[in-house]
Amino acid sequence: MEVEVKLCLADSNAHRHVTTLLSPFHVVTHRQQNLFFDGAASELSARRAVLRLRFYGDDERCVASLKARAVLVDGVSRVEEDEEDLDPRIGRACVAEPAKLGSVESRVLGRVKEEFGTEKGLVGLGGFGNLRSVY
């Protein structure tokens, strides 16, 4: 099981202080590209779900993620996240033509079709790049 903790820091000085404290435990830093998708009729966003393809580095890895069923209790958010590795070449082809996501053999993408009824296809919503340090 993975536990991910996200901290809201006041400013860049606070960030620098935290990374300095954690630096002896640094394992790796990943360059990531995150791209998001929804059903053509907003089937996922209407139910507060998110489909993401995340690429690592120069396409060494691609991970399809479905986040759904978020619950907020006492200021703590818990969300179900289902992840699966995809061939990065297939992932890039789907970014270029999001309609291809519906025909990829994948447990996660199968769940999207079955649970959210994306018969009209999927559309790209855009994305962002980031650096993620692992400690």
Side-chain angles (χ1 to χ4, degrees):
M1 176 170 77
E2 174 183 285
V3 175
E4 184 175 297
V5 177
K6 295 183 180 182
L7 304 173
C8 182
L9 301 174
D11 54 30
S12 61
N13 287 330
H15 179 267
R16 195 170 13 266
H17 183 69
V18 169
T19 56
T20 299
L21 289 172
L22 292 175
S23 64
F25 308 102
H26 183 257
V27 177
V28 67
T29 297
H30 296 291
R31 185 170 46 87
Q32 300 175 331
Q33 183 183 25
N34 303 278
L35 299 154
F36 300 89
F37 302 86
D38 198 351
S42 301
E43 295 92 340
L44 280 83
S45 58
R47 293 175 52 195
R48 297 185 316 163
V50 175
L51 175 62
R52 176 188 69 210
L53 291 184
R54 174 177 281 163
F55 295 88
Y56 289 80
D58 294 318
D59 292 351
E60 293 96 29
R61 184 178 180 207
C62 174
V63 178
S65 300
L66 174 62
K67 294 186 179 191
R69 299 183 184 98
V71 176
L72 184 64
V73 176
D74 296 328
V76 177
S77 174
R78 296 182 189 272
V79 64
E80 174 189 309
E81 184 172 5
D82 191 2
E83 293 187 332
E84 177 181 27
D85 279 76
L86 294 180
D87 181 320
R89 292 169 298 182
I90 292 171
R92 286 293 178 197
C94 292
V95 169
E97 294 181 57
K100 289 184 176 183
L101 285 162
S103 62
V104 173
E105 285 293 319
S106 157
R107 178 182 43 75
V108 169
L109 297 175
R111 278 191 61 197
V112 169
K113 282 190 285 192
E114 292 170 19
E115 294 180 25
F116 297 93
T118 55
E119 289 83 21
K120 294 182 181 180
L122 292 158
V123 295
L125 301 177
F128 63 90
N130 66 290
L131 292 176
R132 172 169 281 182
S133 294
V134 178
Y135 298 92

